[in-house]
Amino acid sequence: MYNSKIAGIGHYVPENVVTNHDLEKMMETNDDWIVERTGIKERRWALPDGDDTPSTMGTKAARMAIENAGLTPEDIDFIVFATLSPDYYFPGPGVMVQEQLGISEIGALDVRNQCSGFIYALSVADQFIKTGMYNNVLVIGSELHSGGLEKTTRGRNVTVIFGDGAGAIVLQKTDQKGVLSTHLHAEGKHAKELALLGPNTKHWVPEIIAENDPDDTSYYPYMNGNFVFKHAVTRFQQVIMEALEANGYAPSDINLMIPHQANLRISQFIQQKMGLGQDQVYNNIMRYGNTTAASIPIAMSEAWQEGKIKENDLICLAAFGSGFTWASALIRW
């Protein structure tokens, strides 16, 4: 059995900055209301007539990660792409990244686990490397939420939260420590508490348009906010402790925890409950909002660039979201 390590990391976000004050012009909301409930000050939204898509953003993040790993695209053996907002219903964006990078005929897998998608994708890549099947696996999390949000007062509770962006890592075979363990969970009975129910295979877009029902919100994301928050703070703590206990560590041993950037209030609650200091938790939701599968790799890339991740640091990743699904990973950098 081999181990895997993060050999390179990168991220990309659209240039277009949308502040809370910009949202005030679209819906009944204000900066104080948004910051108090989410901690978000601004987010990036791709321009409708621009070139950013989940696959192109993922490719830009991937190129940075590959370069930082000292590799070329031809060195990549496999692609795992996590997203809830693919360019198309099908095919998935993994094969599109393969084409955009100019890589010939390697496998590409798409992961649809929403907020925990990047850790699920990391776990899949880790298993491929540990069994000796691949040497360099490209793992991407990329989301373009802005095109599917209801930018009105009716949709504000969801719309103010989400942003666009992408992050990527190159996971590489090593005989040293790297990814110590990953832990994946799901609870499908709560699937509809955070979901986008239409369009789907029983409720396609033409059918929605033909119905012309102004009250049909099934094609916009729905979130039972209080219900999700209560489950998130419980599952976050559980899955972090699961990773620590599996490897014989305590919260005090963590050099940096990078949680999924769902809500700053969730991160702060977990930090307090686990007795972690300010320098042990990295948050950037204030600048980017919730970028779902992209949030952890974007935050990890920024933390690395800022010198907050150093060699031999113990890094904990944790996520909770739609499904419900939740996951953690413990990494010796």
CSV table of all heavy atoms in Angstrom, one decimal, residues 189-249:
chain,number,residue,atom,x,y,z
A,189,LYS,N,-32.5,10.5,4.4
A,189,LYS,CA,-33.8,10.8,4.8
A,189,LYS,C,-34.0,12.3,4.9
A,189,LYS,O,-35.2,12.8,4.9
A,189,LYS,CB,-34.2,10.2,6.2
A,189,LYS,CG,-33.4,10.7,7.4
A,189,LYS,CD,-33.8,10.0,8.6
A,189,LYS,CE,-33.1,10.5,9.9
A,189,LYS,NZ,-33.5,9.7,11.1
A,190,HIS,N,-33.0,13.1,4.9
A,190,HIS,CA,-33.1,14.6,5.0
A,190,HIS,C,-32.8,15.2,3.6
A,190,HIS,O,-32.5,16.4,3.6
A,190,HIS,CB,-32.2,15.1,6.1
A,190,HIS,CG,-32.4,14.6,7.4
A,190,HIS,ND1,-33.7,14.7,8.0
A,190,HIS,CD2,-31.6,14.1,8.4
A,190,HIS,CE1,-33.7,14.2,9.2
A,190,HIS,NE2,-32.4,13.8,9.5
A,191,ALA,N,-32.8,14.4,2.6
A,191,ALA,CA,-32.4,14.9,1.3
A,191,ALA,C,-33.1,16.2,0.8
A,191,ALA,O,-32.5,17.0,0.2
A,191,ALA,CB,-32.6,13.8,0.2
A,192,LYS,N,-34.4,16.3,1.1
A,192,LYS,CA,-35.1,17.4,0.6
A,192,LYS,C,-35.0,18.7,1.4
A,192,LYS,O,-35.6,19.7,1.1
A,192,LYS,CB,-36.6,17.0,0.4
A,192,LYS,CG,-36.8,16.0,-0.7
A,192,LYS,CD,-38.3,15.7,-0.9
A,192,LYS,CE,-38.5,14.7,-2.0
A,192,LYS,NZ,-40.0,14.4,-2.2
A,193,GLU,N,-34.3,18.6,2.5
A,193,GLU,CA,-34.1,19.8,3.4
A,193,GLU,C,-33.1,20.8,2.8
A,193,GLU,O,-33.0,21.9,3.2
A,193,GLU,CB,-33.7,19.4,4.8
A,193,GLU,CG,-34.6,18.5,5.5
A,193,GLU,CD,-36.0,19.1,5.7
A,193,GLU,OE1,-36.1,20.3,5.7
A,193,GLU,OE2,-37.0,18.3,5.8
A,194,LEU,N,-32.3,20.3,1.8
A,194,LEU,CA,-31.3,21.2,1.1
A,194,LEU,C,-31.2,20.6,-0.3
A,194,LEU,O,-30.4,19.7,-0.5
A,194,LEU,CB,-30.0,21.2,1.9
A,194,LEU,CG,-28.9,22.1,1.2
A,194,LEU,CD1,-29.3,23.5,0.9
A,194,LEU,CD2,-27.7,22.1,2.2
A,195,ALA,N,-31.9,21.1,-1.2
A,195,ALA,CA,-32.0,20.5,-2.5
A,195,ALA,C,-32.5,21.4,-3.6
A,195,ALA,O,-33.0,22.5,-3.4
A,195,ALA,CB,-33.1,19.3,-2.4
A,196,LEU,N,-32.3,20.9,-4.8
A,196,LEU,CA,-32.9,21.5,-6.0
A,196,LEU,C,-33.6,20.4,-6.7
A,196,LEU,O,-33.1,19.5,-7.3
A,196,LEU,CB,-31.8,22.1,-7.0
A,196,LEU,CG,-32.3,23.1,-8.0
A,196,LEU,CD1,-31.1,24.0,-8.5
A,196,LEU,CD2,-32.9,22.3,-9.2
A,197,LEU,N,-35.0,20.5,-6.6
A,197,LEU,CA,-35.8,19.4,-7.0
A,197,LEU,C,-36.2,19.4,-8.5
A,197,LEU,O,-36.7,18.4,-9.0
A,197,LEU,CB,-37.1,19.4,-6.1
A,197,LEU,CG,-36.8,19.2,-4.6
A,197,LEU,CD1,-38.1,19.3,-3.9
A,197,LEU,CD2,-36.1,18.0,-4.3
A,198,GLY,N,-36.1,20.5,-9.1
A,198,GLY,CA,-36.4,20.5,-10.6
A,198,GLY,C,-35.5,21.5,-11.3
A,198,GLY,O,-35.1,22.5,-10.6
A,199,PRO,N,-35.1,21.3,-12.5
A,199,PRO,CA,-35.6,20.2,-13.3
A,199,PRO,C,-35.0,18.9,-12.9
A,199,PRO,O,-33.9,18.8,-12.4
A,199,PRO,CB,-35.1,20.6,-14.7
A,199,PRO,CG,-33.9,21.4,-14.5
A,199,PRO,CD,-34.2,22.2,-13.2
A,200,ASN,N,-35.8,17.8,-13.2
A,200,ASN,CA,-35.3,16.5,-13.0
A,200,ASN,C,-36.0,15.6,-14.0
A,200,ASN,O,-36.7,16.0,-14.9
A,200,ASN,CB,-35.7,16.0,-11.5
A,200,ASN,CG,-37.1,16.0,-11.2
A,200,ASN,OD1,-37.9,15.4,-11.9
A,200,ASN,ND2,-37.5,16.8,-10.2
A,201,THR,N,-35.7,14.3,-13.9
A,201,THR,CA,-36.2,13.4,-15.0
A,201,THR,C,-37.7,13.2,-15.1
A,201,THR,O,-38.2,12.7,-16.0
A,201,THR,CB,-35.5,12.0,-14.8
A,201,THR,OG1,-35.7,11.5,-13.5
A,201,THR,CG2,-34.1,12.0,-15.2
A,202,LYS,N,-38.4,13.7,-14.1
A,202,LYS,CA,-39.9,13.8,-14.1
A,202,LYS,C,-40.4,15.2,-14.3
A,202,LYS,O,-41.6,15.4,-14.3
A,202,LYS,CB,-40.4,13.1,-12.8
A,202,LYS,CG,-40.3,11.6,-12.8
A,202,LYS,CD,-41.2,11.1,-11.6
A,202,LYS,CE,-41.2,9.5,-11.7
A,202,LYS,NZ,-42.1,9.0,-10.6
A,203,HIS,N,-39.5,16.2,-14.3
A,203,HIS,CA,-40.0,17.5,-14.3
A,203,HIS,C,-39.0,18.4,-15.0
A,203,HIS,O,-38.2,19.2,-14.5
A,203,HIS,CB,-40.1,18.0,-12.8
A,203,HIS,CG,-40.9,19.3,-12.6
A,203,HIS,ND1,-42.1,19.5,-13.2
A,203,HIS,CD2,-40.7,20.4,-11.9
A,203,HIS,CE1,-42.6,20.7,-12.9
A,203,HIS,NE2,-41.7,21.2,-12.1
A,204,TRP,N,-39.0,18.3,-16.4
A,204,TRP,CA,-38.0,18.9,-17.2
A,204,TRP,C,-38.4,20.4,-17.4
A,204,TRP,O,-39.5,20.8,-17.2
A,204,TRP,CB,-37.9,18.3,-18.6
A,204,TRP,CG,-37.3,16.9,-18.5
A,204,TRP,CD1,-38.0,15.7,-18.6
A,204,TRP,CD2,-35.9,16.6,-18.3
A,204,TRP,NE1,-37.1,14.7,-18.5
A,204,TRP,CE2,-35.8,15.2,-18.3
A,204,TRP,CE3,-34.8,17.4,-18.1
A,204,TRP,CZ2,-34.6,14.5,-18.1
A,204,TRP,CZ3,-33.6,16.7,-18.0
A,204,TRP,CH2,-33.5,15.3,-18.0
A,205,VAL,N,-37.4,21.2,-17.8
A,205,VAL,CA,-37.6,22.6,-18.0
A,205,VAL,C,-38.8,23.0,-18.9
A,205,VAL,O,-39.6,23.8,-18.6
A,205,VAL,CB,-36.3,23.3,-18.5
A,205,VAL,CG1,-36.5,24.8,-18.9
A,205,VAL,CG2,-35.2,23.2,-17.4
A,206,PRO,N,-38.9,22.3,-20.1
A,206,PRO,CA,-40.1,22.7,-21.0
A,206,PRO,C,-41.4,22.5,-20.3
A,206,PRO,O,-42.3,23.2,-20.5
A,206,PRO,CB,-39.9,21.7,-22.2
A,206,PRO,CG,-38.4,21.4,-22.2
A,206,PRO,CD,-38.0,21.4,-20.8
A,207,GLU,N,-41.5,21.5,-19.4
A,207,GLU,CA,-42.7,21.2,-18.7
A,207,GLU,C,-43.0,22.3,-17.7
A,207,GLU,O,-44.1,22.8,-17.6
A,207,GLU,CB,-42.6,19.9,-17.9
A,207,GLU,CG,-43.8,19.5,-17.1
A,207,GLU,CD,-43.6,18.3,-16.3
A,207,GLU,OE1,-42.6,17.5,-16.6
A,207,GLU,OE2,-44.3,18.1,-15.3
A,208,ILE,N,-41.9,22.8,-17.0
A,208,ILE,CA,-42.0,23.9,-16.1
A,208,ILE,C,-42.5,25.2,-16.8
A,208,ILE,O,-43.4,25.9,-16.4
A,208,ILE,CB,-40.7,24.2,-15.4
A,208,ILE,CG1,-40.3,23.0,-14.5
A,208,ILE,CG2,-40.8,25.4,-14.5
A,208,ILE,CD1,-38.9,23.1,-14.0
A,209,ILE,N,-41.9,25.4,-18.0
A,209,ILE,CA,-42.3,26.6,-18.7
A,209,ILE,C,-43.7,26.5,-19.2
A,209,ILE,O,-44.5,27.5,-19.2
A,209,ILE,CB,-41.3,26.8,-19.9
A,209,ILE,CG1,-39.9,27.1,-19.4
A,209,ILE,CG2,-41.8,27.9,-20.9
A,209,ILE,CD1,-38.8,27.1,-20.5
A,210,ALA,N,-44.1,25.3,-19.7
A,210,ALA,CA,-45.4,25.1,-20.2
A,210,ALA,C,-46.5,25.3,-19.1
A,210,ALA,O,-47.6,25.9,-19.4
A,210,ALA,CB,-45.6,23.7,-20.8
A,211,GLU,N,-46.1,24.9,-17.9
A,211,GLU,CA,-47.1,25.1,-16.8
A,211,GLU,C,-47.3,26.6,-16.5
A,211,GLU,O,-48.3,27.0,-16.0
A,211,GLU,CB,-46.6,24.4,-15.6
A,211,GLU,CG,-46.6,22.9,-15.7
A,211,GLU,CD,-45.9,22.2,-14.5
A,211,GLU,OE1,-45.3,22.9,-13.7
A,211,GLU,OE2,-46.0,20.9,-14.5
A,212,ASN,N,-46.2,27.4,-16.7
A,212,ASN,CA,-46.2,28.8,-16.5
A,212,ASN,C,-46.8,29.1,-15.1
A,212,ASN,O,-47.7,30.0,-14.9
A,212,ASN,CB,-47.1,29.5,-17.6
A,212,ASN,CG,-46.9,31.0,-17.6
A,212,ASN,OD1,-45.8,31.5,-17.2
A,212,ASN,ND2,-47.9,31.8,-18.0
A,213,ASP,N,-46.3,28.5,-14.1
A,213,ASP,CA,-46.7,28.6,-12.7
A,213,ASP,C,-45.8,29.6,-12.0
A,213,ASP,O,-44.6,29.1,-11.7
A,213,ASP,CB,-46.8,27.3,-12.0
A,213,ASP,CG,-47.3,27.4,-10.6
A,213,ASP,OD1,-47.6,28.5,-10.2
A,213,ASP,OD2,-47.4,26.3,-9.9
A,214,PRO,N,-46.1,30.8,-11.7
A,214,PRO,CA,-45.2,31.7,-11.1
A,214,PRO,C,-44.8,31.3,-9.7
A,214,PRO,O,-43.9,31.8,-9.1
A,214,PRO,CB,-46.0,33.0,-11.1
A,214,PRO,CG,-47.4,32.6,-11.2
A,214,PRO,CD,-47.4,31.4,-12.0
A,215,ASP,N,-45.6,30.4,-9.1
A,215,ASP,CA,-45.3,30.0,-7.7
A,215,ASP,C,-44.5,28.7,-7.7
A,215,ASP,O,-44.1,28.2,-6.6
A,215,ASP,CB,-46.6,29.7,-7.0
A,215,ASP,CG,-47.4,31.0,-6.8
A,215,ASP,OD1,-46.8,32.1,-6.6
A,215,ASP,OD2,-48.7,30.9,-6.9
A,216,ASP,N,-44.1,28.2,-8.8
A,216,ASP,CA,-43.3,27.0,-8.9
A,216,ASP,C,-41.8,27.4,-8.7
A,216,ASP,O,-41.2,27.9,-9.5
A,216,ASP,CB,-43.5,26.3,-10.2
A,216,ASP,CG,-42.7,25.0,-10.3
A,216,ASP,OD1,-42.0,24.6,-9.3
A,216,ASP,OD2,-42.7,24.3,-11.3
A,217,THR,N,-41.3,27.1,-7.5
A,217,THR,CA,-39.9,27.4,-7.2
A,217,THR,C,-39.0,26.2,-7.2
A,217,THR,O,-37.9,26.2,-6.7
A,217,THR,CB,-39.8,28.1,-5.8
A,217,THR,OG1,-40.3,27.2,-4.8
A,217,THR,CG2,-40.6,29.4,-5.8
A,218,SER,N,-39.5,25.1,-7.7
A,218,SER,CA,-38.7,23.8,-7.7
A,218,SER,C,-37.4,23.9,-8.4
A,218,SER,O,-36.5,23.1,-8.2
A,218,SER,CB,-39.6,22.6,-8.2
A,218,SER,OG,-39.8,22.8,-9.6
A,219,TYR,N,-37.3,24.8,-9.4
A,219,TYR,CA,-36.1,24.9,-10.1
A,219,TYR,C,-35.1,25.9,-9.5
A,219,TYR,O,-34.1,26.2,-10.1
A,219,TYR,CB,-36.4,25.3,-11.6
A,219,TYR,CG,-37.4,26.4,-11.8
A,219,TYR,CD1,-36.9,27.7,-11.9
A,219,TYR,CD2,-38.7,26.2,-11.8
A,219,TYR,CE1,-37.8,28.7,-12.1
A,219,TYR,CE2,-39.6,27.2,-12.0
A,219,TYR,CZ,-39.2,28.5,-12.1
A,219,TYR,OH,-40.0,29.5,-12.2
A,220,TYR,N,-35.4,26.4,-8.3
A,220,TYR,CA,-34.4,27.2,-7.6
A,220,TYR,C,-34.0,26.3,-6.3
A,220,TYR,O,-34.8,25.5,-5.8
A,220,TYR,CB,-35.0,28.5,-7.1
A,220,TYR,CG,-35.3,29.5,-8.2
A,220,TYR,CD1,-36.6,29.9,-8.4
A,220,TYR,CD2,-34.3,30.0,-8.9
A,220,TYR,CE1,-36.9,30.9,-9.4
A,220,TYR,CE2,-34.5,30.9,-9.9
A,220,TYR,CZ,-35.8,31.4,-10.1
A,220,TYR,OH,-36.0,32.3,-11.1
A,221,PRO,N,-32.8,26.5,-5.8
A,221,PRO,CA,-32.3,25.8,-4.6
A,221,PRO,C,-33.2,26.1,-3.4
A,221,PRO,O,-33.7,27.3,-3.3
A,221,PRO,CB,-30.9,26.3,-4.4
A,221,PRO,CG,-30.5,26.8,-5.7
A,221,PRO,CD,-31.7,27.4,-6.4
A,222,TYR,N,-33.5,25.1,-2.6
A,222,TYR,CA,-34.3,25.3,-1.4
A,222,TYR,C,-33.4,24.9,-0.2
A,222,TYR,O,-32.7,23.9,-0.3
A,222,TYR,CB,-35.5,24.4,-1.4
A,222,TYR,CG,-36.2,24.3,0.0
A,222,TYR,CD1,-37.0,25.3,0.5
A,222,TYR,CD2,-36.0,23.2,0.7
A,222,TYR,CE1,-37.5,25.3,1.7
A,222,TYR,CE2,-36.5,23.1,2.0
A,222,TYR,CZ,-37.3,24.1,2.5
A,222,TYR,OH,-37.9,24.0,3.8
A,223,MET,N,-33.5,25.6,0.9
A,223,MET,CA,-32.8,25.2,2.1
A,223,MET,C,-33.6,25.5,3.3
A,223,MET,O,-34.1,26.7,3.5
A,223,MET,CB,-31.4,26.0,2.2
A,223,MET,CG,-30.6,25.7,3.4
A,223,MET,SD,-29.0,26.3,3.4
A,223,MET,CE,-29.3,28.1,3.4
A,224,ASN,N,-33.8,24.5,4.1
A,224,ASN,CA,-34.4,24.7,5.4
A,224,ASN,C,-33.3,25.1,6.4
A,224,ASN,O,-32.6,24.3,7.0
A,224,ASN,CB,-35.1,23.4,5.9
A,224,ASN,CG,-35.8,23.5,7.2
A,224,ASN,OD1,-35.6,24.5,7.9
A,224,ASN,ND2,-36.7,22.6,7.5
A,225,GLY,N,-33.0,26.4,6.5
A,225,GLY,CA,-31.8,26.9,7.1
A,225,GLY,C,-31.6,26.5,8.5
A,225,GLY,O,-30.5,26.0,8.9
A,226,ASN,N,-32.6,26.6,9.4
A,226,ASN,CA,-32.4,26.3,10.8
A,226,ASN,C,-32.2,24.8,11.0
A,226,ASN,O,-31.4,24.4,11.8
A,226,ASN,CB,-33.6,26.7,11.6
A,226,ASN,CG,-33.7,28.2,11.8
A,226,ASN,OD1,-32.7,28.9,11.7
A,226,ASN,ND2,-35.0,28.7,12.0
A,227,PHE,N,-32.9,24.0,10.2
A,227,PHE,CA,-32.8,22.5,10.3
A,227,PHE,C,-31.3,22.1,9.8
A,227,PHE,O,-30.7,21.3,10.5
A,227,PHE,CB,-33.8,21.9,9.4
A,227,PHE,CG,-33.9,20.4,9.5
A,227,PHE,CD1,-34.7,19.8,10.5
A,227,PHE,CD2,-33.2,19.5,8.6
A,227,PHE,CE1,-34.8,18.4,10.6
A,227,PHE,CE2,-33.3,18.2,8.7
A,227,PHE,CZ,-34.1,17.6,9.7
A,228,VAL,N,-30.9,22.7,8.7
A,228,VAL,CA,-29.5,22.4,8.2
A,228,VAL,C,-28.5,22.8,9.2
A,228,VAL,O,-27.5,22.1,9.5
A,228,VAL,CB,-29.3,23.1,6.9
A,228,VAL,CG1,-27.8,23.0,6.4
A,228,VAL,CG2,-30.2,22.5,5.8
A,229,PHE,N,-28.6,24.0,9.8
A,229,PHE,CA,-27.7,24.5,10.8
A,229,PHE,C,-27.5,23.6,12.0
A,229,PHE,O,-26.4,23.2,12.4
A,229,PHE,CB,-28.1,25.9,11.3
A,229,PHE,CG,-27.1,26.5,12.2
A,229,PHE,CD1,-26.1,27.4,11.7
A,229,PHE,CD2,-27.1,26.3,13.6
A,229,PHE,CE1,-25.2,28.0,12.6
A,229,PHE,CE2,-26.2,26.9,14.4
A,229,PHE,CZ,-25.2,27.7,13.9
A,230,LYS,N,-28.6,23.1,12.5
A,230,LYS,CA,-28.6,22.2,13.7
A,230,LYS,C,-27.9,20.9,13.4
A,230,LYS,O,-27.2,20.4,14.2
A,230,LYS,CB,-30.0,22.0,14.2
A,230,LYS,CG,-30.7,23.2,14.8
A,230,LYS,CD,-32.2,22.9,15.1
A,230,LYS,CE,-32.9,24.1,15.7
A,230,LYS,NZ,-34.3,23.9,16.0
A,231,HIS,N,-28.2,20.4,12.2
A,231,HIS,CA,-27.5,19.1,11.8
A,231,HIS,C,-26.0,19.4,11.5
A,231,HIS,O,-25.1,18.5,11.9
A,231,HIS,CB,-28.2,18.5,10.6
A,231,HIS,CG,-29.4,17.7,11.0
A,231,HIS,ND1,-29.4,16.4,11.1
A,231,HIS,CD2,-30.7,18.2,11.3
A,231,HIS,CE1,-30.7,16.0,11.4
A,231,HIS,NE2,-31.4,17.0,11.6
A,232,ALA,N,-25.7,20.5,10.9
A,232,ALA,CA,-24.3,20.8,10.5
A,232,ALA,C,-23.4,20.9,11.7
A,232,ALA,O,-22.3,20.3,11.7
A,232,ALA,CB,-24.3,22.1,9.7
A,233,VAL,N,-23.8,21.6,12.7
A,233,VAL,CA,-22.9,21.8,13.9
A,233,VAL,C,-22.7,20.5,14.6
A,233,VAL,O,-21.6,20.3,15.2
A,233,VAL,CB,-23.4,22.9,14.8
A,233,VAL,CG1,-23.5,24.2,14.2
A,233,VAL,CG2,-24.8,22.5,15.4
A,234,THR,N,-23.6,19.6,14.6
A,234,THR,CA,-23.5,18.3,15.2
A,234,THR,C,-22.5,17.4,14.4
A,234,THR,O,-21.6,16.8,14.9
A,234,THR,CB,-24.8,17.6,15.4
A,234,THR,OG1,-25.6,18.4,16.2
A,234,THR,CG2,-24.6,16.2,16.0
A,235,ARG,N,-22.8,17.3,13.1
A,235,ARG,CA,-22.1,16.4,12.2
A,235,ARG,C,-20.6,16.9,12.0
A,235,ARG,O,-19.7,16.0,11.9
A,235,ARG,CB,-22.8,16.2,10.8
A,235,ARG,CG,-24.2,15.6,10.9
A,235,ARG,CD,-24.1,14.3,11.7
A,235,ARG,NE,-25.4,13.6,11.5
A,235,ARG,CZ,-25.7,12.4,12.1
A,235,ARG,NH1,-24.8,11.8,12.9
A,235,ARG,NH2,-26.9,11.8,11.9
A,236,PHE,N,-20.4,18.2,11.9
A,236,PHE,CA,-19.1,18.7,11.8
A,236,PHE,C,-18.2,18.2,12.9
A,236,PHE,O,-17.1,17.7,12.7
A,236,PHE,CB,-19.1,20.2,11.8
A,236,PHE,CG,-19.0,20.9,10.4
A,236,PHE,CD1,-20.0,21.6,9.9
A,236,PHE,CD2,-17.8,20.8,9.7
A,236,PHE,CE1,-19.9,22.2,8.6
A,236,PHE,CE2,-17.6,21.4,8.5
A,236,PHE,CZ,-18.7,22.1,8.0
A,237,GLN,N,-18.7,18.4,14.1
A,237,GLN,CA,-17.9,18.0,15.3
A,237,GLN,C,-17.6,16.5,15.3
A,237,GLN,O,-16.5,16.1,15.6
A,237,GLN,CB,-18.5,18.5,16.6
A,237,GLN,CG,-17.7,18.3,17.8
A,237,GLN,CD,-18.3,19.0,19.0
A,237,GLN,OE1,-19.3,19.7,18.9
A,237,GLN,NE2,-17.6,18.8,20.2
A,238,GLN,N,-18.7,15.7,15.0
A,238,GLN,CA,-18.5,14.3,15.0
A,238,GLN,C,-17.5,13.8,14.1
A,238,GLN,O,-16.6,13.0,14.4
A,238,GLN,CB,-19.9,13.6,14.7
A,238,GLN,CG,-20.9,13.7,15.8
A,238,GLN,CD,-22.3,13.1,15.4
A,238,GLN,OE1,-22.5,12.8,14.2
A,238,GLN,NE2,-23.2,12.9,16.3
A,239,VAL,N,-17.5,14.3,12.8
A,239,VAL,CA,-16.7,13.8,11.8
A,239,VAL,C,-15.2,14.2,12.0
A,239,VAL,O,-14.3,13.6,11.6
A,239,VAL,CB,-17.2,14.1,10.4
A,239,VAL,CG1,-16.9,15.5,9.9
A,239,VAL,CG2,-16.8,13.1,9.4
A,240,ILE,N,-15.0,15.4,12.6
A,240,ILE,CA,-13.7,15.9,12.9
A,240,ILE,C,-13.1,15.0,14.0
A,240,ILE,O,-11.9,14.6,13.9
A,240,ILE,CB,-13.7,17.4,13.3
A,240,ILE,CG1,-14.1,18.3,12.2
A,240,ILE,CG2,-12.4,17.8,13.9
A,240,ILE,CD1,-14.4,19.7,12.6
A,241,MET,N,-13.9,14.7,15.0
A,241,MET,CA,-13.4,13.9,16.1
A,241,MET,C,-13.1,12.5,15.6
A,241,MET,O,-12.2,11.8,16.1
A,241,MET,CB,-14.4,13.9,17.3
A,241,MET,CG,-14.4,15.2,18.0
A,241,MET,SD,-12.8,15.8,18.6
A,241,MET,CE,-12.3,14.4,19.6
A,242,GLU,N,-13.9,12.0,14.7
A,242,GLU,CA,-13.7,10.7,14.1
A,242,GLU,C,-12.3,10.6,13.4
A,242,GLU,O,-11.6,9.6,13.6
A,242,GLU,CB,-14.8,10.4,13.1
A,242,GLU,CG,-14.7,9.0,12.4
A,242,GLU,CD,-15.8,8.7,11.4
A,242,GLU,OE1,-16.6,9.6,11.1
A,242,GLU,OE2,-15.8,7.6,10.9
A,243,ALA,N,-12.0,11.6,12.7
A,243,ALA,CA,-10.7,11.6,12.0
A,243,ALA,C,-9.5,11.7,13.0
A,243,ALA,O,-8.5,11.0,12.9
A,243,ALA,CB,-10.6,12.8,11.0
A,244,LEU,N,-9.7,12.5,14.0
A,244,LEU,CA,-8.6,12.7,15.0
A,244,LEU,C,-8.4,11.4,15.8
A,244,LEU,O,-7.3,10.9,16.0
A,244,LEU,CB,-9.0,13.8,16.0
A,244,LEU,CG,-8.9,15.3,15.4
A,244,LEU,CD1,-9.5,16.3,16.4
A,244,LEU,CD2,-7.5,15.6,15.0
A,245,GLU,N,-9.5,10.8,16.3
A,245,GLU,CA,-9.4,9.6,17.1
A,245,GLU,C,-8.9,8.4,16.3
A,245,GLU,O,-8.2,7.6,16.8
A,245,GLU,CB,-10.8,9.3,17.7
A,245,GLU,CG,-11.3,10.3,18.7
A,245,GLU,CD,-12.7,10.1,19.1
A,245,GLU,OE1,-13.4,9.2,18.6
A,245,GLU,OE2,-13.2,10.9,19.9
A,246,ALA,N,-9.2,8.4,15.0
A,246,ALA,CA,-8.7,7.3,14.1
A,246,ALA,C,-7.2,7.3,14.0
A,246,ALA,O,-6.6,6.3,13.7
A,246,ALA,CB,-9.4,7.3,12.7
A,247,ASN,N,-6.6,8.5,14.2
A,247,ASN,CA,-5.2,8.6,14.0
A,247,ASN,C,-4.4,9.0,15.3
A,247,ASN,O,-3.2,9.3,15.3
A,247,ASN,CB,-4.9,9.7,13.0
A,247,ASN,CG,-5.4,9.3,11.6
A,247,ASN,OD1,-4.7,8.6,10.9
A,247,ASN,ND2,-6.6,9.8,11.2
A,248,GLY,N,-5.2,8.9,16.5
A,248,GLY,CA,-4.5,9.1,17.8
A,248,GLY,C,-4.2,10.6,18.1
A,248,GLY,O,-3.2,10.8,18.8
A,249,TYR,N,-5.0,11.5,17.6
A,249,TYR,CA,-4.8,12.9,17.8
A,249,TYR,C,-5.9,13.6,18.6
A,249,TYR,O,-7.0,13.0,18.7
A,249,TYR,CB,-4.6,13.7,16.5
A,249,TYR,CG,-3.3,13.3,15.7
A,249,TYR,CD1,-3.4,12.6,14.5
A,249,TYR,CD2,-2.1,13.7,16.2
A,249,TYR,CE1,-2.2,12.3,13.9
A,249,TYR,CE2,-0.9,13.4,15.5
A,249,TYR,CZ,-1.0,12.7,14.4
A,249,TYR,OH,0.1,12.4,13.7
